[in-house]
Amino acid sequence: MVVGWYHSHPGFGCWLSGVDIGTQQSFEALNARAVSVVIDPIQSVRGKVVIDAFRLINPQTMMLGQEPRQATSNLGHLHKPAIQALIHGLNRHYYSIAINHRKNALEEGMLASLRRRGWAAGLDLRCGGGGRGGGGGAAPPPPPRGRRARDTARAHPTPHTLPSNFEHVSTANEAGLASVASLAGAYAQAVADEGATAVGADRDVARVGRADARSRLDGAAAGLMEGNVLQACAAVVATLAF
């Protein structure tokens, strides 16, 4: 028995477009309780699963002033709707239903370990010879451990020195600024195109399949500022400590 369908919105959030509503109508014609599950894999990689389920609202039910939601269980709770979902017809053409997911201990550990870095990683300085965000080249061999490490330290003492070539940092900043300028132009063009498009289904169709210039601009600008702040703090700490 078919109970519904699912699809993904990579980076766009959970909502139903005009095409999705038409697909959901065909499923509800076969089963009135069919659901549409939407998941955002891009936002889910940070450890929080972004997922939602929807069912269409019958226009006749709205005209009669009846509650369109079909509920058979009190398990779970509704999430606060996103502004983007409200813009795309949430609570007007379709409604959200409670949805939950399960994770075992291994899956929770895997999601919690994504992008995890040690505290010492924040003290790495970017320079032309590699390092955090370096200019490439072969990776250095892993440092020796235990007795071998002590013997190596006595035979080849290495003083703490600061990298002197930061040309790669300057080049990376210039490339980052150029990327931010390009994304700002793309966002301005997207705003102009959206203003020229009629409000309604035409605007929704025109937005489908296009990258969100605003989100990309926010991410690029935040990454550029974060990298420079960490670089400056690490340089100060390295200068005082070493």
PDB file of all heavy atoms in Angstrom, residues 136-155:
ATOM      1  N   GLY A 136      48.709  23.926  -0.493  1.00  0.00           N
ATOM      2  CA  GLY A 136      48.799  22.599  -1.054  1.00  0.00           C
ATOM      3  C   GLY A 136      50.140  21.969  -0.752  1.00  0.00           C
ATOM      4  O   GLY A 136      50.850  22.334   0.181  1.00  0.00           O
ATOM      5  N   GLY A 137      50.507  20.982  -1.557  1.00  0.00           N
ATOM      6  CA  GLY A 137      51.734  20.259  -1.323  1.00  0.00           C
ATOM      7  C   GLY A 137      51.447  18.975  -0.567  1.00  0.00           C
ATOM      8  O   GLY A 137      50.346  18.706  -0.119  1.00  0.00           O
ATOM      9  N   ALA A 138      52.482  18.169  -0.424  1.00  0.00           N
ATOM     10  CA  ALA A 138      52.329  16.892   0.249  1.00  0.00           C
ATOM     11  C   ALA A 138      52.075  17.090   1.729  1.00  0.00           C
ATOM     12  O   ALA A 138      52.622  17.989   2.363  1.00  0.00           O
ATOM     13  CB  ALA A 138      53.581  16.037   0.029  1.00  0.00           C
ATOM     14  N   ALA A 139      51.249  16.235   2.284  1.00  0.00           N
ATOM     15  CA  ALA A 139      50.943  16.340   3.699  1.00  0.00           C
ATOM     16  C   ALA A 139      52.121  15.855   4.516  1.00  0.00           C
ATOM     17  O   ALA A 139      52.797  14.887   4.147  1.00  0.00           O
ATOM     18  CB  ALA A 139      49.706  15.505   4.030  1.00  0.00           C
ATOM     19  N   PRO A 140      52.436  16.495   5.651  1.00  0.00           N
ATOM     20  CA  PRO A 140      53.563  16.070   6.462  1.00  0.00           C
ATOM     21  C   PRO A 140      53.268  14.731   7.106  1.00  0.00           C
ATOM     22  O   PRO A 140      52.122  14.374   7.353  1.00  0.00           O
ATOM     23  CB  PRO A 140      53.665  17.181   7.522  1.00  0.00           C
ATOM     24  CG  PRO A 140      52.292  17.745   7.610  1.00  0.00           C
ATOM     25  CD  PRO A 140      51.744  17.658   6.226  1.00  0.00           C
ATOM     26  N   PRO A 141      54.312  13.925   7.380  1.00  0.00           N
ATOM     27  CA  PRO A 141      54.097  12.629   8.012  1.00  0.00           C
ATOM     28  C   PRO A 141      53.575  12.804   9.423  1.00  0.00           C
ATOM     29  O   PRO A 141      53.804  13.829  10.058  1.00  0.00           O
ATOM     30  CB  PRO A 141      55.489  11.999   7.990  1.00  0.00           C
ATOM     31  CG  PRO A 141      56.432  13.163   7.955  1.00  0.00           C
ATOM     32  CD  PRO A 141      55.736  14.205   7.143  1.00  0.00           C
ATOM     33  N   PRO A 142      52.875  11.811   9.943  1.00  0.00           N
ATOM     34  CA  PRO A 142      52.350  11.928  11.307  1.00  0.00           C
ATOM     35  C   PRO A 142      53.489  11.990  12.313  1.00  0.00           C
ATOM     36  O   PRO A 142      54.516  11.335  12.147  1.00  0.00           O
ATOM     37  CB  PRO A 142      51.509  10.653  11.463  1.00  0.00           C
ATOM     38  CG  PRO A 142      52.066   9.692  10.470  1.00  0.00           C
ATOM     39  CD  PRO A 142      52.511  10.527   9.318  1.00  0.00           C
ATOM     40  N   PRO A 143      53.326  12.772  13.370  1.00  0.00           N
ATOM     41  CA  PRO A 143      54.391  12.901  14.343  1.00  0.00           C
ATOM     42  C   PRO A 143      54.583  11.606  15.107  1.00  0.00           C
ATOM     43  O   PRO A 143      53.633  10.854  15.333  1.00  0.00           O
ATOM     44  CB  PRO A 143      53.884  14.024  15.267  1.00  0.00           C
ATOM     45  CG  PRO A 143      52.408  13.975  15.134  1.00  0.00           C
ATOM     46  CD  PRO A 143      52.145  13.563  13.721  1.00  0.00           C
ATOM     47  N   PRO A 144      55.826  11.299  15.506  1.00  0.00           N
ATOM     48  CA  PRO A 144      56.071  10.081  16.282  1.00  0.00           C
ATOM     49  C   PRO A 144      55.463  10.189  17.668  1.00  0.00           C
ATOM     50  O   PRO A 144      55.232  11.278  18.185  1.00  0.00           O
ATOM     51  CB  PRO A 144      57.603  10.003  16.335  1.00  0.00           C
ATOM     52  CG  PRO A 144      58.064  11.421  16.160  1.00  0.00           C
ATOM     53  CD  PRO A 144      57.063  12.056  15.247  1.00  0.00           C
ATOM     54  N   ARG A 145      55.220   9.042  18.268  1.00  0.00           N
ATOM     55  CA  ARG A 145      54.599   9.007  19.572  1.00  0.00           C
ATOM     56  C   ARG A 145      55.439   8.172  20.540  1.00  0.00           C
ATOM     57  O   ARG A 145      56.257   7.348  20.152  1.00  0.00           O
ATOM     58  CB  ARG A 145      53.185   8.413  19.492  1.00  0.00           C
ATOM     59  CG  ARG A 145      52.234   9.201  18.621  1.00  0.00           C
ATOM     60  CD  ARG A 145      50.860   8.558  18.599  1.00  0.00           C
ATOM     61  NE  ARG A 145      49.927   9.335  17.788  1.00  0.00           N
ATOM     62  CZ  ARG A 145      48.655   8.991  17.593  1.00  0.00           C
ATOM     63  NH1 ARG A 145      48.173   7.893  18.156  1.00  0.00           N
ATOM     64  NH2 ARG A 145      47.880   9.738  16.843  1.00  0.00           N
ATOM     65  N   GLY A 146      55.190   8.386  21.839  1.00  0.00           N
ATOM     66  CA  GLY A 146      55.799   7.569  22.881  1.00  0.00           C
ATOM     67  C   GLY A 146      57.304   7.744  22.956  1.00  0.00           C
ATOM     68  O   GLY A 146      57.874   8.836  22.846  1.00  0.00           O
ATOM     69  N   ARG A 147      58.012   6.601  23.132  1.00  0.00           N
ATOM     70  CA  ARG A 147      59.465   6.624  23.290  1.00  0.00           C
ATOM     71  C   ARG A 147      60.151   7.148  22.040  1.00  0.00           C
ATOM     72  O   ARG A 147      61.145   7.872  22.110  1.00  0.00           O
ATOM     73  CB  ARG A 147      59.952   5.215  23.612  1.00  0.00           C
ATOM     74  CG  ARG A 147      61.457   5.121  23.838  1.00  0.00           C
ATOM     75  CD  ARG A 147      61.843   3.714  24.216  1.00  0.00           C
ATOM     76  NE  ARG A 147      63.289   3.618  24.415  1.00  0.00           N
ATOM     77  CZ  ARG A 147      63.935   2.481  24.727  1.00  0.00           C
ATOM     78  NH1 ARG A 147      63.199   1.359  24.897  1.00  0.00           N
ATOM     79  NH2 ARG A 147      65.232   2.477  24.869  1.00  0.00           N
ATOM     80  N   ARG A 148      59.580   6.799  20.866  1.00  0.00           N
ATOM     81  CA  ARG A 148      60.168   7.282  19.619  1.00  0.00           C
ATOM     82  C   ARG A 148      60.130   8.798  19.550  1.00  0.00           C
ATOM     83  O   ARG A 148      61.044   9.439  19.048  1.00  0.00           O
ATOM     84  CB  ARG A 148      59.406   6.676  18.439  1.00  0.00           C
ATOM     85  CG  ARG A 148      59.949   7.097  17.078  1.00  0.00           C
ATOM     86  CD  ARG A 148      59.062   6.539  15.976  1.00  0.00           C
ATOM     87  NE  ARG A 148      59.426   7.062  14.680  1.00  0.00           N
ATOM     88  CZ  ARG A 148      58.693   6.921  13.588  1.00  0.00           C
ATOM     89  NH1 ARG A 148      57.550   6.246  13.661  1.00  0.00           N
ATOM     90  NH2 ARG A 148      59.083   7.432  12.439  1.00  0.00           N
ATOM     91  N   ALA A 149      59.063   9.408  20.055  1.00  0.00           N
ATOM     92  CA  ALA A 149      58.949  10.867  20.037  1.00  0.00           C
ATOM     93  C   ALA A 149      60.013  11.501  20.940  1.00  0.00           C
ATOM     94  O   ALA A 149      60.628  12.511  20.579  1.00  0.00           O
ATOM     95  CB  ALA A 149      57.554  11.289  20.490  1.00  0.00           C
ATOM     96  N   ARG A 150      60.259  10.922  22.112  1.00  0.00           N
ATOM     97  CA  ARG A 150      61.271  11.480  23.005  1.00  0.00           C
ATOM     98  C   ARG A 150      62.670  11.358  22.411  1.00  0.00           C
ATOM     99  O   ARG A 150      63.490  12.283  22.489  1.00  0.00           O
ATOM    100  CB  ARG A 150      61.201  10.766  24.353  1.00  0.00           C
ATOM    101  CG  ARG A 150      59.914  11.039  25.130  1.00  0.00           C
ATOM    102  CD  ARG A 150      60.025  10.542  26.550  1.00  0.00           C
ATOM    103  NE  ARG A 150      60.175   9.091  26.589  1.00  0.00           N
ATOM    104  CZ  ARG A 150      59.147   8.233  26.671  1.00  0.00           C
ATOM    105  NH1 ARG A 150      57.905   8.694  26.700  1.00  0.00           N
ATOM    106  NH2 ARG A 150      59.356   6.935  26.709  1.00  0.00           N
ATOM    107  N   ASP A 151      62.954  10.202  21.769  1.00  0.00           N
ATOM    108  CA  ASP A 151      64.263  10.032  21.143  1.00  0.00           C
ATOM    109  C   ASP A 151      64.455  11.013  19.997  1.00  0.00           C
ATOM    110  O   ASP A 151      65.542  11.589  19.823  1.00  0.00           O
ATOM    111  CB  ASP A 151      64.416   8.595  20.643  1.00  0.00           C
ATOM    112  CG  ASP A 151      64.403   7.590  21.794  1.00  0.00           C
ATOM    113  OD1 ASP A 151      64.661   8.020  22.942  1.00  0.00           O
ATOM    114  OD2 ASP A 151      64.131   6.400  21.538  1.00  0.00           O
ATOM    115  N   THR A 152      63.408  11.225  19.215  1.00  0.00           N
ATOM    116  CA  THR A 152      63.511  12.158  18.087  1.00  0.00           C
ATOM    117  C   THR A 152      63.721  13.577  18.578  1.00  0.00           C
ATOM    118  O   THR A 152      64.490  14.354  17.999  1.00  0.00           O
ATOM    119  CB  THR A 152      62.241  12.075  17.227  1.00  0.00           C
ATOM    120  OG1 THR A 152      62.055  10.731  16.780  1.00  0.00           O
ATOM    121  CG2 THR A 152      62.348  12.985  16.014  1.00  0.00           C
ATOM    122  N   ALA A 153      63.035  13.967  19.654  1.00  0.00           N
ATOM    123  CA  ALA A 153      63.168  15.323  20.189  1.00  0.00           C
ATOM    124  C   ALA A 153      64.577  15.573  20.717  1.00  0.00           C
ATOM    125  O   ALA A 153      65.133  16.665  20.559  1.00  0.00           O
ATOM    126  CB  ALA A 153      62.145  15.536  21.291  1.00  0.00           C
ATOM    127  N   ARG A 154      65.205  14.541  21.363  1.00  0.00           N
ATOM    128  CA  ARG A 154      66.566  14.720  21.864  1.00  0.00           C
ATOM    129  C   ARG A 154      67.584  14.772  20.726  1.00  0.00           C
ATOM    130  O   ARG A 154      68.554  15.512  20.781  1.00  0.00           O
ATOM    131  CB  ARG A 154      66.903  13.585  22.828  1.00  0.00           C
ATOM    132  CG  ARG A 154      66.218  13.703  24.185  1.00  0.00           C
ATOM    133  CD  ARG A 154      66.860  12.760  25.176  1.00  0.00           C
ATOM    134  NE  ARG A 154      66.643  11.368  24.799  1.00  0.00           N
ATOM    135  CZ  ARG A 154      65.641  10.607  25.265  1.00  0.00           C
ATOM    136  NH1 ARG A 154      64.779  11.135  26.133  1.00  0.00           N
ATOM    137  NH2 ARG A 154      65.505   9.361  24.893  1.00  0.00           N
ATOM    138  N   ALA A 155      67.340  13.997  19.676  1.00  0.00           N
ATOM    139  CA  ALA A 155      68.308  13.957  18.567  1.00  0.00           C
ATOM    140  C   ALA A 155      68.179  15.164  17.658  1.00  0.00           C
ATOM    141  O   ALA A 155      69.181  15.649  17.114  1.00  0.00           O
ATOM    142  CB  ALA A 155      68.115  12.663  17.763  1.00  0.00           C
TER     143      ALA A 155
END
